[in-house]
Structures are given as C-alpha cells and as structure tokens.
Amino acid sequence: MSRFRILSLDGGGIKGTFTASVLAELEAMTGKRMVEYFDLITGTSTGGIIAVALGLGMPAQEIVAFYCAKGPDIFPSTGLYRRTRAVVRSLFRPKHSAHVLRDALVVIMQDRKLGESTCRLVIPSYDAVRGDVHLFKTAHHEHFKQDYLLLAADVAMATAAAPTYFPAFTGENGLTHIDGGIWANCPATVGLIEAISVLEQQPEDIEILSVGTTTEPFHVSPRRRKGGLLFWHKGIVDLLMQAQVAGALAQAKVLTGRKALRINVTTQSGRFALDDSRHITELRALGIREARHCEHEVSQRFLDTPAEPFAPYHRLPSQPQIK
C-alpha cells in the first residue's frame, strides 16, 4: 500500500520550544531523523522555522538548542516596569526587533537556499501587498521555479513576521509578507491539500503527524458573550487561533479517514505566552514528556520505513543534476 506522510508544525512564537523538544526526544528515543520519514513537512511561523531547519538537515536537538540560546535575545524578558513600557510602546511599533530574529536565523541557516532542503516543504505566509495568502514551496512540482532560489532565512522571516510582535518582512525581491499564522496557524490542511492537489496523492493514503505549541482551556464567558472589545481584548485572538486549529484538524481527519495524530498539551491559563522566554525550560520539559508518552504510536505509524528520497524538479547550480 502506498503511503504519504505529512509532518505539520503549528505556530506559537517561543512556544515552538515545545514543538522542537517533542521532535528532538522522538529522534533521541528512536535513533531516527524525523526528516527522513516524512514525504512533506509544513510549518507556520515558529513551526515554519523548525520545518526549514529540519529540511536543511539540522537535528531536532540543535533546533532546541537554538531556541534555548537565542530565545531570550529574540524575546527579551525584563522587569515589570520595562515589560509594561514595552506594551505601551507596542501600540505604535512592533514589540520586538526583526534584526535580532534574522541575525539569529542566519547563524543556523547561513546563506543556504530553500532549494537545499532534503524534504518537500510548504511554508504558509501572507502577502501584505496583494492582501492574499501565500505559500513558499520547494521545487516539488515542475511549475515551482522561484521559491527554491530564496534564502532559507528569508522564508523563515516571512512566515514568522507576526503582527504587533515583528514588522512585516520585505525580502530582496521587494515582496512583503507577514506571519502565516493569521490564516494557517495549524497547517495540517495546507499540507493535505498540497499532497492531494499538487502531488496527486489519494486522501486515504495520507497520514498526518501534527505537533502543536501547547494550548490553554478556553471558553466564552457570560461577560464576553454580552460585552464588547473591552471584555474580549486578547481573548478574541485566542478564540480565532483555537478555532482555526480545531477546524484544520477536523477537516484533516475527515479527509484522511481519521489518519491524523495530534501531539499537544493543555496547560494552565496564562502559563505561557508567545513572546515570554522565561519559561523555555518548562516548555522543553513538556515536550520531552509528551514525546515519551506518544513515541510508541509515532514509531508504529510514521517511523517504520524511511520516505522515498526527495528529487526536486529544479536544482541549484551547486547541486548535482539528475539525468
């Protein structure tokens, strides 16, 4: 029976430490590199950073080390006074520096191109000029002739430019993008549609491993049901994100005949935030725990045999051409 395996990685800022930790522990427990067992990897925002890094051959443990080392620089945690001042400042400009993020990405991705990925990648973003969704893709179809030439770090920046946290990212080609999380924070359906419509896979042959970035209990309180913006505030963003994730996973399960496995953990309300780097150690520990809990099922369903090697339609000049 033919199989097509998709690894889907959610957005979530510094909470991507959890995602990377899950993957790193799975690799440590099984002795297998995750990138070698999936036919396609899709990731949004922080999940997009992880997806690109995996595609470029980074072991998941090195990605965890990246979050631990660079997370506090990208999302600096300061005293109460400075955090309050940062919130006020964010009313007029982004809370964090895009230069710090890009410098950190360049350290691990250097000047490598998206076309150097050893796995098919689909990275959601949003075109801020056209006002339309955008997907960065490796050259896994003959029509995909542009994105594989882009710097991997630029693709990572384009998917992670979260509004209010970072400014929109403008690449060398002049195109401007913002975080793909505004429409595909859980990109499971994105990967599924790519597999069906572009790679001509049958839905019943597709299996999806979806990894989240932790979630919190959420309910629409009586005050919010009757109140306006003052009562909703940040809650409306949380509601939209959780609803999008739930919808994407439900659609993926229906289309694949429920062959989608979700790894995530529900935490105490307010415990973690997208840009609070003070809890990196806890996020890493949660990832290790969840990986150990689900390793047996992941190994049986996804890590039994390596995926077929990825042969792109278009190659970089430095890459050997397939005759």
Side-chain angles (χ1 to χ4, degrees):
M1 183 183 74
S2 61
R3 300 168 63 204
F4 192 92
R5 287 163 285 183
I6 298 172
L7 177 61
S8 171
L9 308 174
D10 284 14
I14 195 61
K15 295 192 295 181
T17 306
F18 169 84
T19 312
S21 180
V22 167
L23 301 177
E25 187 64 13
L26 288 172
E27 289 190 348
M29 294 182 70
T30 63
K32 299 175 180 179
R33 297 283 292 276
M34 301 295 287
V35 71
E36 297 175 359
Y37 288 80
F38 289 89
D39 299 284
L40 182 148
I41 301 177
T42 181
T44 299
S45 193
T46 195
I49 292 174
I50 297 171
V52 172
L54 289 172
L56 294 180
M58 286 187 64
Q61 187 56 54
E62 289 187 14
I63 303 174
V64 173
F66 165 76
Y67 277 87
C68 292
K70 297 298 183 180
D73 296 329
I74 299 167
F75 298 116
S77 295
T78 56
L80 178 61
Y81 168 74
R82 290 189 177 182
R83 289 202 301 274
T84 303
R85 188 175 67 176
V87 171
V88 174
R89 188 175 64 237
S90 70
L91 295 174
F92 306 98
R93 60 184 182 181
K95 291 176 67 176
H96 304 290
S97 168
H99 298 293
V100 174
L101 174 59
R102 192 173 192 285
D103 288 347
L105 292 173
V106 169
V107 169
I108 62 169
M109 298 180 183
Q110 302 176 358
D111 60 352
R112 300 181 69 185
K113 304 291 183 64
L114 188 68
E116 295 181 54
S117 176
T118 61
C119 182
R120 299 174 187 86
L121 298 177
V122 179
I123 309 297
S125 187
Y126 189 84
D127 188 326
V129 177
R130 294 180 60 231
D132 199 2
V133 299
H134 183 86
L135 295 170
F136 292 97
K137 302 179 182 182
T138 48
H140 51 265
H141 190 279
E142 60 183 339
H143 294 161
F144 301 161
K145 302 177 181 179
Q146 293 85 29
D147 292 348
Y148 80 100
L149 298 169
L150 297 174
L151 288 172
D154 284 357
V155 174
M157 286 292 296
T159 190
T164 73
Y165 292 96
F166 297 106
F169 177 74
T170 301
E172 294 180 353
N173 55 14
L175 300 178
T176 301
H177 294 89
I178 57 179
D179 196 315
I182 66 170
W183 70 277
N185 202 54
C186 171
T189 309
V190 170
L192 181 58
I193 292 173
E194 188 76 8
I196 296 171
S197 64
V198 175
L199 299 170
E200 300 181 342
Q201 299 295 316
Q202 297 302 311
E204 61 270 19
D205 295 333
I206 299 171
E207 296 186 81
I208 302 174
L209 176 60
S210 172
V211 187
T213 55
T214 77
T215 189
E216 298 178 358
F218 187 89
H219 70 282
V220 182
S221 66
R223 294 181 68 183
R224 281 178 170 167
R225 293 174 208 169
K226 298 179 181 180
L229 184 61
L230 179 64
F231 293 104
W232 277 98
H233 188 45
K234 179 178 176 291
I236 195 168
V237 176
D238 295 336
L239 175 61
L240 292 173
M241 287 294 187
Q242 289 200 24
Q244 189 277 324
V245 170
L249 291 171
Q251 291 164 9
K253 289 180 179 179
V254 168
L255 289 172
T256 62
R258 305 195 67 81
K259 287 190 287 188
L261 176 63
R262 177 72 166 174
I263 301 178
N264 205 17
V265 62
T266 301
T267 66
Q268 180 182 356
S269 296
R271 183 176 181 185
F272 303 117
L274 275 70
D275 64 339
D276 189 346
S277 61
R278 294 173 298 173
H279 304 296
I280 288 176
T281 300
E282 294 176 66
L283 288 163
R284 182 179 183 181
L286 283 175
I288 292 173
R289 188 191 70 178
E290 289 305 303
R292 291 177 178 177
H293 175 73
C294 66
E295 180 272 326
H296 181 69
E297 185 173 6
V298 171
S299 291
Q300 282 193 325
R301 292 179 56 177
F302 298 95
L303 306 181
D304 52 343
T305 57
E308 290 291 326
F310 169 44
Y313 280 85
H314 310 289
R315 292 176 174 267
L316 298 166
S318 60
Q319 294 175 313
Q321 300 299 312
I322 297 179
K323 298 182 180 181

